[in-house]
Amino acid sequence: MNGKIFDLNEYAAKAREAAAEGIVMLKNDDHLLPLSKGMKVAIFGRSQFHYYKSGTGSGGMVNTRYVTGILEALEAEKCFVVNPRVKEVYESWIEEHPFEVGDGWAKEPWFQEEMPFKPGFVEAASEDSDAAIVVIGRTAGEDQDNKAEEGSYLLTKTELNMISDVCRVFKHTIVLLNVGNIIDMKWVEESNPSSVLYVWQGGQEGGSGIADVLSGKVTPSGRLTDTIARNIEDYPSTVNYGDDKLNFYAEDIYVGYRYFETFAKEKVLYPFGFGMSYTSFERKLKKLEETKDRVDVLVEVTNTGKYTGKEVVQVYCEAPQGRLGKPSRVLCGFTKTQSLSPEESVVVKISCPKYLFSSYDDSGATGHRYSYVLEAGSYSIYIGGDVRQAEYAGSIDVAELIVIEALKEAMAPSVSYRRMKPAAEENGQLSVTYEKAPTGTMDPMKRRGGNLPGEIAYTGDKGLKLEDVSEGRASMEDFIAQLSDEDLCCIVRGEGMCSPKVTSGTAGAFGGVTERLAAFGIPLGCCADGPSGIRLDSGIYAFAMPNGTCLACSFNEELLKELYEFEGLELRKNNIDTLLGPGMNIHRNPLNGRNFEYFSEDPLVTGKMAAAQLKGMDKYGVTGTIKHFACNNQEHSRNEAEAIVSERALREIYLKGFEIAVKEGGAYSIMSTYGPVNGFWTATNYDLLTTILRGEWRFQGIVMTDWWAKGNEPGGPADAKNTSAMVRCQNDLFMVTTNSEKNALQDNSMEGILNGKTTRAEFQRSAINICGALMHMPAFLRSRGIETELDKQLKECIEEDEKEQLDMRILTVEKEAEIPSEWIDTQKGKSTLLQVVLAEGDASRLSFSCRVPSAGELSQIPLSIFRDKQLLKTITLTGKDSEWRTEVLDLEPAFCSTYFLKFYFGQSGMEIKECKIEEVYEGSQRLTRVHTVV
Ligand code: BGC
């Protein structure tokens, strides 16, 4: 503790704790782990040197100060002796086989070529080592799903050989899986290593978290948030996964363990909720208490083993197979104990709302169509460490069907398809049959008709500011009445990426994006990716957290809350109002590239984890934008592939986590997705964004699109320009355009107001949503120049290496602009960072004159120029270069018209003049390009 409110060391310690708690140990024969102090370990697998801190894409682009990998952490811990000879062999092989970075966005390789063993290598290693560690690494991410191929979901032949050779020769082998999501695990049976641990992608402290578990400093307590089945084909979603156009969610509510425990227990290698510990626990049911809305379960947990550790207690419900088919287990509650010393006990209480026992009847089979119902019968409660082991604890009886909540049709599939349903076989075993999923009975836009907001008469500028609303001097309606149609069109356009109006390098700005809007006192909100750390494309450092799956596997809500308090402080310090995360889509299939960002196949775990993160960030006045709402369950063809899902599966599985995040986590910012669900692209899905989100869940806040996402009219094609339809459905913000005032993306907002397709009142409603959300955000304080005590304290926490950002200047280039010489600090070791914003052009050209006026002939004065984080050129002048010479650098087209330029001087003595940037027109229109990039 150094007394600072935001301390990077404390942040790191918390992240390390989380990385360790998320580790799931699947096997530990003969109590091999924890390794004893001083043990000599031989480490195999190149990923010991190249730790994957996260997956790829927007959720993995955190620019960290450091990443502690596995080898490094094990060496630093000094608990074990790392076999130096094995390490040397890898080092020299890696020199010849360097890490392959790939070709940029979505083109990173899923794995790195592994070193094949030379004869005798493993045998020699075993002679002077007590145990072996084998590290397997994988990545995947946005725009790049995993594939059911070697090198992705499956291990490569070289990796399999590596594991089997090491296991054959060593008595003790530990396999560490540094992966974003679950992978094929059949090799465990074949090679039989002593210990196997999913260590996930643990962020910048990941390696240290692993070292803590291997050394026994931390007893593993992570549990699988997904079922690991024998084969990828065993997942019922696989058969429909990855289509370009249509993706039928034929497995319906039978996702993950809901399917396997009901129909196919034998296909499971490791059940949902499974995870081992160094110690052992005993669970004793103390009480099972039923109230009107809940079942409270009190369990005494005793540490019966030899190590201090934490235990996860899971409560499952088995509902009667009534008219609606039911999964034979549904997670209804869980908790994690504090650390228990050997023989210590604690009584934990888990409250399970009956809402979670209920089923949504979308067909009318129970006579209560569109209702959550508890069908009559006995509801058995099971308590345990995982879904398979959970033991019967008691039951509650429902004499007659109870309607928990009566709702209305919403988001019905427009296409007919068959969905899974159980049928009882003779021995009582359930088998899969199929039924026709009910399609919709009415066009959702008709529901809009009955819910149209009333128009607020335009008053023009009455001098009211947003502050007058927050201070109770004016109503929101009176305030909004001042906005012209043009203002309304502008306010629904977010700007970015890397808008120069907000923190450099962030994803977007929204709210007071024009001078007029700002003059009304509408603040400029700032959002940045997310989820596991702040993405700052300016190159400024941020903290990289463990990935979503790792965090969820901790099953520790309190820990996530505490960790995201740090995130909250970091956001606040960077003047960012909302993190674009947590990502909370369901792990429908192991192949989804973004599974690493998401939490689980189970909606309760998903919702609770998101709520915990939101509560953590909220402590410091900032929030998260929960995403991607909803069904972003495959990256392949994510702009086009339509999810066809039943209303029941939506409500019980795919929307449930979001519902929990809204109702329990207080979410007030949501991101819709790129793709369509049941006929409508989500940004224009009225039922999703209005009927369910606002109507049923009483959400008050903003919905923003994913970046450059499209929307459609009923039955029509989708287009990013269709903001009119988006606003009609209450997708309040289109993210992002480069210039809201100029309507850089040529959206159809104004056209929508003029032709009446979207009413002015609907635009006003979105403006109210946006202003309302902004009033909760620190942006509102910033816009009024209010500096709170917290802000002052955070200023004290600015690190040396962040000052660069604070000094960053913005250069707007309209055709041409000169960088004043005094902006560039030419002293040794100094760097100058600039954000360049191109007004119209596409590519650009940097030119300047330089010389070394007075230095010894042999002196070398290097200047390195970086664009974004990439070195463009190093120019080294010598003392002989005393005359001015001109340098010209052609710069590639800028993504979204903005980029970061950095000049770094390795030595003093150079002079620079006439430094300018010109816009270059490449013929192609930027707007179109932005479109095609996405
Ligand atoms: C991703 C979002 C992300 C946004 C901004 C999109 O490509 O799907 O999750 O927040 O970009 O970077």
Side-chain angles (χ1 to χ4, degrees), residues 58 105 142 497 507 529 535 580 594 627-628 638 671 674 706-707:
S58 62
W105 180 270
E142 184 172 353
M497 311 196 65
D529 281 312
R535 167 184 169 194
L580 299 175
R594 294 188 89 168
K627 68 187 186 186
H628 305 89
R638 61 181 176 160
M671 185 190 294
Y674 282 121
D706 201 337
W707 269 227

Side-chain angles (χ1 to χ4, degrees), residues 735-746:
M735 304 298 277
V736 286
T737 160
T738 50
N739 190 320
S740 154
E741 195 152 20
K742 289 189 184 157
N743 188 10
L745 215 62
Q746 294 153 22

Side-chain angles (χ1 to χ4, degrees), residues 29 35 193 204 213 241-242 411 482 498 653 697 718 904:
D29 293 351
L35 294 174
Q204 68 183 71
V213 166
Y241 193 82
M411 288 187 87
Q482 305 175 103
C498 299
I653 309 287
W697 304 349
Y904 171 77

Side-chain angles (χ1 to χ4, degrees), residues 710-752:
K710 303 193 270 192
N712 67 324
E713 301 292 337
D719 196 324
K721 295 185 167 79
N722 198 353
T723 45
S724 159
M726 295 177 193
V727 169
R728 207 181 304 146
C729 298
Q730 281 192 88
N731 188 112
D732 308 297
L733 284 161
F734 172 81
M735 304 298 277
V736 286
T737 160
T738 50
N739 190 320
S740 154
E741 195 152 20
K742 289 189 184 157
N743 188 10
L745 215 62
Q746 294 153 22
D747 69 41
N748 66 357
S749 288
M750 187 57 86
E751 194 186 317

Side-chain angles (χ1 to χ4, degrees), residues 52 56 99-104 106-113 137-140 144 151-152:
Y52 287 108
T56 57
F99 186 88
E100 204 194 315
V101 277
D103 296 328
K107 294 204 177 70
E108 296 97 339
W110 287 286
F111 78 108
Q112 298 290 321
E113 184 192 350
R138 281 292 182 280
T139 195
Q144 195 192 18
S152 182

Side-chain angles (χ1 to χ4, degrees), residues 245-247 249 410-415 417 444 585 628-633 638-647 649-651 654-655 672-688 692 710 712:
K245 291 267 171 277
L246 285 180
N247 194 334
Y249 285 42
M411 288 187 87
S414 44
V415 183
Y417 75 103
N585 294 89
H628 305 89
F629 195 49
C631 297
N632 196 67
N633 297 313
R638 61 181 176 160
N639 281 322
E640 299 300 331
E642 179 177 349
I644 309 289
V645 204
S646 76
E647 286 176 83
L650 281 167
R651 289 184 189 264
Y654 296 101
L655 304 185
S672 46
T673 71
Y674 282 121
V677 180
N678 291 346
F680 294 91
W681 268 256
T682 57
T684 46
N685 200 315
Y686 182 84
D687 274 347
L688 179 67
I692 296 178
K710 303 193 270 192
N712 67 324

